[in-house]
Amino acid sequence: MNFSKTLENVKAYEAGKPIELVVRDFGIDESKIVKLASNENPYGVSPKVKDVLRGYVDKAYMYPDDSFYELKELLAKKYNLTSKNVVIGAGSDQVIEFCIHVKAKDKKVLVANTTFAMYEIYAKVFGAEVIKTKDDMHNLEQFLEMYHEHKPDIIFLCLPNNPLGECLDKKDVFEFISKIDSDTLVVVDGAYQEYASFKDSAKKIDPKELIDTFPNAIYLGTFSKAFALGGMRVGYGLADENIIKTLHKVRPPFNITTLSLKSAITALGDEEFVNYSIEQNFIEMKRYEEFAKANGFNFIDSYTNFITLLFENTKFDSTVIADELLKRGVIIRNLKSYGLNAIRVTIGSKVQNDRFFEEFETLIK
Amino acid sequence: MNFSKTLENVKAYEAGKPIELVVRDFGIDESKIVKLASNENPYGVSPKVKDVLRGYVDKAYMYPDDSFYELKELLAKKYNLTSKNVVIGAGSDQVIEFCIHVKAKDKKVLVANTTFAMYEIYAKVFGAEVIKTKDDMHNLEQFLEMYHEHKPDIIFLCLPNNPLGECLDKKDVFEFISKIDSDTLVVVDGAYQEYASFKDSAKKIDPKELIDTFPNAIYLGTFSKAFALGGMRVGYGLADENIIKTLHKVRPPFNITTLSLKSAITALGDEEFVNYSIEQNFIEMKRYEEFAKANGFNFIDSYTNFITLLFENTKFDSTVIADELLKRGVIIRNLKSYGLNAIRVTIGSKVQNDRFFEEFETLIK
């Protein structure tokens, strides 16, 4: 059977190895496995959300309110916007897909050389050409140059950037967008913004200020990271009403589950848990920085809940390290497929990080 | 900002009114509302699934196993196929979207005049032209005629058909597909097949027989109806490995939630509940048939968990009836937007159906 030619060169996304797979492949006891590969919140689901969900599983047979009325109202209130500025996605991932679908089908997108893989995957799925900057990290001069040269329909800025962890300053981002024409959609992916703005207020992007200043910008947020609901698949886009109205045309009905909706609504009411998670994250991150220094390799200063350890100019090979750690039940992300001799490690809980350091040390000695 | 021209004529799907909205709009107490609008299973989540989910909410912070290994294995076993014949969607809805994306982008699809709205909506979203038969119900002679005239890339057969409830016989379906060329994808949407095959074995489509006989056919199944997980958004497609491999190219990672995956796996192990739901459904459906006869209007013989009541040649207007029922807290689906003076009512539990009959009677007296 023949299929759309657009898809011939599309490869599927490679997700972080789930614990089930490691149990299966290596016969390691599930309780012994430490997964630091998918940037999940190591402090687990907030106690409030757990309580509410347990009482709500009875509703799983019913479709959710497809208007997502309550969640949109709460997000609008949180960001001082109206619900007409909000679209809900199955993770902010799905909002990325919506953006490419409505704006860049068979056209062009511009991204950093090393950034969130889904920009490129969705772009290819929709037949768009992917233009990349030369530098791995976000370099706005290069972005501007490529913008003038290629006239992309969408520019993706990942702030902070996954999988490297670096983050541009807000003032530089605003200056950059001011130079972009109003028919180019600028996507500001803030999946890890809660972490970045905690660490350094110069990184903080206020969605209202962003979209009030630039009607061609959209801000993406997620419940998967600081809000600890990675498994529930809830994200959102915040933008001018005209953009949101168009994104809704490609949104499938009931695109988040009944329990996802309830969990996101509840999580928004538990800022205490979110703040605790973020504070702990940076306390534990310090230990990774010290560990790297002690063992003679570099790292990228991170504004997220993960850290990228660089093995260039060392005796270490990221593929060997990733494979050996996996055999010992520690799952991290090898960045070799990005052309880097580096690994990305989610900052886990104290116990999880202890385990990482311990296994890593036995490996390199 | 300019968007893809394809989207100019796209309208969003209108979902059944959720209970929250009726509470809000009419100030009716939530406990007094009966929702018979979205063909949810009125017997609620199976007790086994509830138990397992309650114990599993702690995992909501973790992404699911994106390979859906266990669920695919169980489905493969259930249908005597291999996991390479299985793709998982966020509802079978999403598999419809995948099919259109890979096969009919900017091309043509053929559907019955009155059938599941999402075929047309996804087709339009992907720029495909929608060809419809003349008759509301599935008429295979007309399908064949239109096929020869228009050479569609996908043909959708909804067996049984939503929102009308009728169902073609398996032998007629197989005879029809045998006349279709091997480069046309035939989608057999079996969302309500569990109900149809219980009522009449002549309607039963065995997925393995279907896809072994026709490598250009795909069978769609769902956990939303007989398996009582409408809110969890899990469905699947079963087809030849080559089709499945291509559909995976457009599948977003983590397209069902961690709790959805667990609930579907658990639901597959509770056939007893499914059988009970289906038996009760047809016992209660008899009451609707008698009610229609007693009140002088027709209905369509239904092979699903809903019934379509026809008000043609009566004094009743479906819009008035739907609105008046809504004010009384009974939510059903008006089919006026399909050009029919008819309503579609989900077969509820005994108590829910009692309420429908009671409110309907006060309305028409």
Side-chain angles (χ1 to χ4, degrees):
Chain A
M1 180 172 284
N2 294 309
F3 298 104
S4 167
K5 289 218 183 310
T6 311
L7 299 172
E8 277 167 13
N9 298 316
V10 172
K11 278 185 289 186
Y13 173 80
E14 197 194 333
K17 255 198 201 318
I19 288 175
E20 297 93 320
L21 211 77
V22 180
V23 171
R24 216 159 60 221
D25 292 356
F26 299 101
I28 298 171
D29 189 76
E30 191 168 336
S31 64
K32 296 247 169 77
I33 294 174
V34 170
K35 185 184 169 203
L36 300 172
S38 300
N39 306 335
E40 290 142 339
N41 188 322
Y43 307 101
V45 185
S46 104
K48 272 192 199 168
V49 174
K50 272 188 219 174
D51 275 359
V52 169
L53 274 187
R54 279 196 203 102
Y56 208 70
V57 298
D58 295 16
K59 307 275 189 189
Y61 74 105
M62 293 185 84
Y63 291 97
D65 166 15
D66 188 49
S67 74
F68 305 139
Y69 177 85
E70 192 179 352
L71 179 58
K72 281 188 191 167
E73 288 290 321
L74 286 171
L75 285 168
K77 201 175 151 203
K78 174 181 167 82
Y79 290 117
N80 197 19
L81 294 163
T82 80
S83 62
K84 288 183 178 172
N85 299 115
V86 186
V87 66
I88 303 296
S92 48
D93 236 71
Q94 197 180 35
V95 187
I96 296 166
E97 186 184 359
F98 296 164
C99 289
I100 291 173
H101 192 159
V102 306
K103 187 62 186 168
K105 197 166 67 148
D106 302 321
K107 296 189 170 176
K108 285 180 193 171
V109 307
L110 172 58
V111 302
N113 191 36
T114 298
T115 192
F116 187 43
M118 292 313 301
Y119 307 146
E120 181 167 358
I121 293 175
Y122 285 127
K124 285 186 175 167
V125 156
F126 284 94
E129 186 186 345
V130 180
I131 320 285
K132 293 181 178 184
T133 61
K134 205 177 142 220
D135 284 6
D136 286 316
M137 298 200 211
H138 283 56
N139 176 327
L140 288 176
E141 269 177 46
Q142 289 179 8
F143 264 97
L144 203 60
E145 220 170 87
M146 309 296 269
Y147 161 71
H148 286 301
E149 190 182 336
H150 296 280
K151 298 284 172 209
D153 302 89
I154 304 183
I155 299 172
F156 284 98
L157 300 176
C158 195
L159 306 171
N161 187 27
N162 176 17
L164 299 182
E166 95 279 11
C167 193
L168 297 171
D169 279 1
K170 176 222 154 182
K171 74 167 175 23
D172 298 331
V173 173
F174 273 56
E175 199 192 314
F176 169 77
I177 306 179
S178 74
K179 293 171 189 159
I180 305 301
D181 70 288
S182 64
D183 195 41
T184 300
L185 181 65
V186 180
V187 178
V188 172
D189 186 342
Y192 299 88
Q193 260 288 319
E194 288 86 355
Y195 296 96
S197 54
F198 174 90
K199 181 170 177 176
D200 181 355
S201 62
K203 311 296 183 190
K204 186 181 170 70
I205 308 266
D206 176 62
K208 182 177 167 60
E209 188 188 359
L210 176 76
I211 72 176
D212 280 355
T213 315
F214 307 112
N216 60 326
I218 181 166
Y219 178 92
L220 308 188
T222 185
F223 286 90
S224 298
K225 307 300 170 188
F227 287 85
L229 291 173
M232 299 309 281
R233 318 301 301 122
V234 191
Y236 51 90
L238 306 171
D240 185 83
E241 201 179 318
N242 283 319
I243 294 176
I244 296 297
K245 217 189 290 172
T246 306
L247 297 178
H248 272 112
K249 289 187 176 189
V250 299
R251 183 189 69 88
F254 312 117
N255 58 323
I256 67 168
T257 79
T258 297
L259 300 189
S260 302
L261 181 58
K262 192 69 174 183
S263 61
I265 288 167
T266 312
L268 278 177
D270 196 1
E271 286 283 344
E272 201 186 319
F273 168 82
V274 173
N275 294 337
Y276 170 80
S277 302
I278 296 171
E279 279 164 26
Q280 290 302 309
N281 176 68
F282 287 110
I283 292 169
E284 290 295 315
M285 191 183 286
K286 277 261 168 293
R287 301 177 64 206
Y288 279 86
E289 296 172 359
E290 282 154 21
F291 184 80
K293 283 175 201 160
N295 286 285
F297 50 83
N298 287 322
F299 60 88
I300 299 174
D301 191 25
S302 172
Y303 293 85
T304 65
N305 70 344
F306 58 83
I307 189 161
T308 296
L309 306 178
L310 303 165
F311 301 138
E312 286 134 23
N313 308 319
T314 71
K315 60 182 175 182
F316 308 128
D317 178 83
S318 66
T319 303
V320 174
I321 286 181
D323 290 350
E324 288 297 321
L325 284 171
L326 189 60
K327 284 182 200 158
R328 292 160 166 81
V330 176
I331 318 173
I332 53 87
R333 189 71 74 99
N334 179 15
L335 298 185
K336 198 56 78 67
S337 65
Y338 291 87
L340 298 171
N341 183 17
I343 61 171
R344 189 194 71 182
V345 187
T346 303
I347 308 298
S349 64
K350 184 174 181 312
V351 176
Q352 290 176 317
N353 300 330
D354 285 347
R355 179 75 191 290
F356 171 86
F357 298 137
E358 187 190 311
E359 297 291 355
F360 198 102
E361 269 172 354
T362 64
L363 229 176
I364 62 180
K365 258 166 199 165
Chain B
M1 180 172 286
N2 294 309
F3 298 103
S4 166
K5 289 216 183 313
T6 311
L7 299 172
E8 277 168 13
N9 298 315
V10 172
K11 278 185 288 186
Y13 173 80
E14 196 195 331
K17 255 196 200 326
I19 287 174
E20 296 93 319
L21 211 79
V22 180
V23 171
R24 214 159 63 222
D25 291 356
F26 299 101
I28 298 171
D29 188 77
E30 191 169 335
S31 64
K32 296 249 169 72
I33 293 173
V34 171
K35 186 184 170 204
L36 301 172
S38 301
N39 307 335
E40 290 142 339
N41 188 323
Y43 306 102
V45 185
S46 103
K48 273 192 198 170
V49 174
K50 272 189 219 173
D51 276 0
V52 170
L53 275 186
R54 278 196 204 102
Y56 208 71
V57 299
D58 294 16
K59 308 275 189 189
Y61 74 104
M62 294 186 84
Y63 291 96
D65 165 14
D66 188 48
S67 73
F68 305 139
Y69 176 85
E70 192 180 352
L71 179 57
K72 280 187 191 168
E73 287 290 321
L74 287 171
L75 284 168
K77 201 176 150 200
K78 175 181 165 81
Y79 290 117
N80 198 19
L81 295 164
T82 81
S83 62
K84 289 184 176 172
N85 299 115
V86 186
V87 65
I88 303 297
S92 48
D93 238 70
Q94 197 181 34
V95 187
I96 296 167
E97 187 184 0
F98 296 163
C99 289
I100 291 172
H101 192 158
V102 305
K103 187 64 186 165
K105 196 168 68 149
D106 302 322
K107 297 189 170 177
K108 286 180 191 171
V109 307
L110 172 59
V111 302
N113 192 35
T114 298
T115 192
F116 188 43
M118 292 314 300
Y119 308 146
E120 181 166 0
I121 292 174
Y122 285 126
K124 285 185 174 167
V125 156
F126 284 93
E129 185 186 344
V130 180
I131 320 284
K132 294 181 179 186
T133 61
K134 205 177 145 221
D135 285 7
D136 286 316
M137 298 201 211
H138 283 55
N139 175 325
L140 288 177
E141 269 176 46
Q142 288 178 9
F143 263 96
L144 203 60
E145 220 171 86
M146 309 295 268
Y147 161 72
H148 286 301
E149 191 182 335
H150 296 280
K151 298 283 170 206
D153 301 89
I154 304 183
I155 299 172
F156 284 99
L157 300 177
C158 195
L159 306 172
N161 187 27
N162 174 16
L164 300 182
E166 95 279 11
C167 193
L168 296 171
D169 280 1
K170 177 225 152 179
K171 73 167 173 28
D172 297 331
V173 173
F174 273 55
E175 198 192 315
F176 169 77
I177 305 178
S178 73
K179 294 173 188 158
I180 305 300
D181 71 288
S182 63
D183 196 42
T184 300
L185 180 65
V186 180
V187 178
V188 172
D189 186 342
Y192 298 89
Q193 259 288 319
E194 288 87 354
Y195 295 96
S197 54
F198 174 90
K199 182 170 175 174
D200 180 355
S201 61
K203 311 296 184 190
K204 185 181 173 66
I205 308 266
D206 175 61
K208 182 177 167 60
E209 188 189 358
L210 177 76
I211 72 176
D212 280 354
T213 315
F214 307 112
N216 61 323
I218 181 167
Y219 178 92
L220 307 188
T222 185
F223 287 90
S224 298
K225 307 301 170 187
F227 288 85
L229 291 172
M232 299 308 281
R233 319 302 298 122
V234 190
Y236 52 90
L238 306 173
D240 185 83
E241 203 180 317
N242 283 319
I243 295 175
I244 296 299
K245 217 189 291 173
T246 307
L247 297 178
H248 272 112
K249 290 187 174 189
V250 299
R251 182 190 69 88
F254 313 116
N255 58 321
I256 68 169
T257 79
T258 297
L259 300 189
S260 302
L261 181 59
K262 192 69 173 181
S263 62
I265 288 167
T266 313
L268 277 178
D270 196 1
E271 286 283 342
E272 201 187 320
F273 169 82
V274 173
N275 294 336
Y276 170 81
S277 301
I278 296 172
E279 279 164 25
Q280 289 302 309
N281 176 70
F282 287 110
I283 292 169
E284 289 296 315
M285 191 182 285
K286 277 262 167 294
R287 300 176 65 207
Y288 278 87
E289 295 173 1
E290 281 153 21
F291 184 81
K293 283 174 200 160
N295 286 284
F297 50 83
N298 287 324
F299 60 89
I300 299 175
D301 190 24
S302 172
Y303 292 85
T304 66
N305 69 346
F306 58 82
I307 189 162
T308 295
L309 306 177
L310 302 164
F311 301 139
E312 286 133 22
N313 309 317
T314 71
K315 60 184 176 181
F316 308 129
D317 178 82
S318 65
T319 303
V320 174
I321 285 180
D323 290 350
E324 288 298 322
L325 284 172
L326 189 60
K327 283 183 201 158
R328 292 161 167 82
V330 176
I331 319 172
I332 51 88
R333 189 70 75 96
N334 179 15
L335 298 185
K336 198 56 80 68
S337 65
Y338 290 87
L340 297 171
N341 183 17
I343 61 172
R344 188 194 72 181
V345 188
T346 303
I347 309 298
S349 65
K350 184 174 182 310
V351 176
Q352 289 176 319
N353 299 329
D354 286 347
R355 180 76 190 290
F356 171 87
F357 298 137
E358 186 190 312
E359 296 292 355
F360 198 103
E361 268 172 353
T362 64
L363 229 177
I364 61 179
K365 256 162 196 164

